[in-house]
Amino acid sequence: MARFPSNEGTPSRPIPWRLVLIVLCNTVLFFGIYAYFVMARGVNFLFWVYLGILLAAALGYVLYNRAFSDASCTYETLPYDWSHEKKTEFLLARDTRKQKSRWLLVFIFPLSLTLMFDVIFLFFGDALNALFTSIGKGLGIW
């Protein structure tokens, strides 16, 4: 039976509430714009615009972070012939790239969620409408 390492010795990081709020607000904003123009106005090319922005942002994030090829590197796993300064500089550059590219996630997650909601509405929209209508009639709201 596989055992997972315990998290007792590692300190827990606080939840970045500011970042969560920004992502939530962007999701509401992006989906609101998308729902208004695509679902209410019939502007169908907006899907492709959102998809293009999402793919460009995701590709930029992955390429800027060098496809996360150095994510698991530690000081001990770097080549022995590197000097202390070179190892430290390499690890610092990796961490700096992660910090600088973090702002892209504020666009990647909301766009992903917006397109996911659109696919859910596309495939399950009629069923969800019937479900909420029957619940509303049962509660006397509609």
Side-chain angles (χ1 to χ4, degrees), residues 10-73:
T10 59
S12 63
R13 294 188 330 198
I15 296 174
W17 290 110
R18 181 175 172 261
L19 186 62
V20 169
L21 184 65
I22 290 172
V23 168
L24 186 65
C25 288
N26 278 348
T27 302
V28 169
L29 176 71
F30 290 162
F31 186 74
I33 292 170
Y34 186 82
Y36 176 74
F37 283 107
V38 172
M39 297 176 185
R41 296 285 184 177
V43 181
N44 294 327
F45 70 88
L46 193 61
F47 171 82
W48 298 108
V49 171
Y50 271 38
L51 186 63
I53 293 171
L54 174 63
L55 290 177
L59 186 64
Y61 183 76
V62 169
L63 289 178
Y64 185 72
N65 284 304
R66 297 181 183 173
F68 306 106
S69 61
D70 57 359
S72 64
C73 289

